[in-house]
Amino acid sequence: MSDLKKELHQLCVNHVRKIMEATELAIADAQKASTDDTKSSAGDKYETGREMAQQETNRNMAQLNEANKLLVALNRIGTTGISAHAEPGSVIVTNNGSFYLAISAGSLILNNKTYFAVSPASPVGSMLTGKKAGSEFTLNGKLYKIESVV
């Protein structure tokens, strides 16, 4: 079962790295657009274009910073051991799906089974945290029964 946790953890790391790569590419594109922009007879068209490129770069830098924070959070999560209560790094199986408590990374498919990577700060993550097998909770009118925590 610890292999499951390691594999889910690696899928989350891969998810964050893809975000980082796409963001770094967008930053490079925006910077290239900014330097390629030339003065025109239209007056401040040049300055407007450069400012828009700078704003795009700033937005992407903020997204890259958030992705780095996700990577740091993932690095703090253990991938071995079994806990009686759901905590970061736990795999929780419920009657309404299986969850990996780590970061919000959406659905992960591993060995033809879907797991939902959720952050402990998310609504479902906060409901899962601290629960053990046999516990129940209701979220958005849906009853979740925890079948197992690994």
Side-chain angles (χ1 to χ4, degrees):
M1 199 47 105
S2 69
D3 281 348
L4 172 65
K5 292 168 106 173
K6 287 178 185 175
E7 291 177 49
L8 288 170
H9 187 270
Q10 189 58 51
L11 287 174
C12 286
V13 169
N14 294 347
H15 171 77
V16 173
R17 286 199 174 130
K18 283 180 188 174
I19 291 170
M20 293 173 84
E21 288 170 10
T23 304
E24 288 167 349
L25 184 61
I27 289 169
D29 287 348
Q31 289 174 337
K32 185 177 183 323
S34 175
T35 57
D36 287 351
D37 205 357
T38 59
K39 280 224 184 247
S40 72
S41 60
D44 53 21
K45 175 185 172 202
Y46 168 76
E47 292 302 323
T48 302
R50 285 183 61 102
E51 178 59 28
M52 289 175 65
Q54 184 60 48
Q55 288 176 6
E56 185 67 20
T57 298
N58 292 346
R59 276 192 297 277
N60 286 311
M61 290 295 284
Q63 187 175 1
L64 185 59
N65 187 35
E66 288 304 310
N68 276 317
K69 288 178 186 177
L70 290 176
L71 206 49
V72 167
L74 280 170
N75 288 334
R76 291 185 180 142
I77 294 174
T79 58
T80 59
I82 296 174
S83 175
H85 295 83
E87 60 186 22
S90 293
V91 177
I92 304 104
V93 178
T94 74
N95 63 318
N96 285 313
S98 299
F99 298 88
Y100 178 55
L101 196 58
I103 63 166
S104 292
S107 61
L108 307 172
I109 298 175
L110 183 62
N111 300 325
N112 296 319
K113 184 167 167 73
T114 301
Y115 298 87
F116 299 99
V118 296
S119 164
S122 70
V124 71
S126 64
M127 297 299 285
L128 289 168
T129 301
K131 299 283 193 294
K132 60 183 180 178
S135 298
E136 296 179 356
F137 65 92
T138 302
L139 182 66
N140 296 331
K142 190 183 269 190
L143 178 65
Y144 290 79
K145 296 179 182 177
I146 298 176
E147 297 167 4
S148 66
V149 176
V150 181

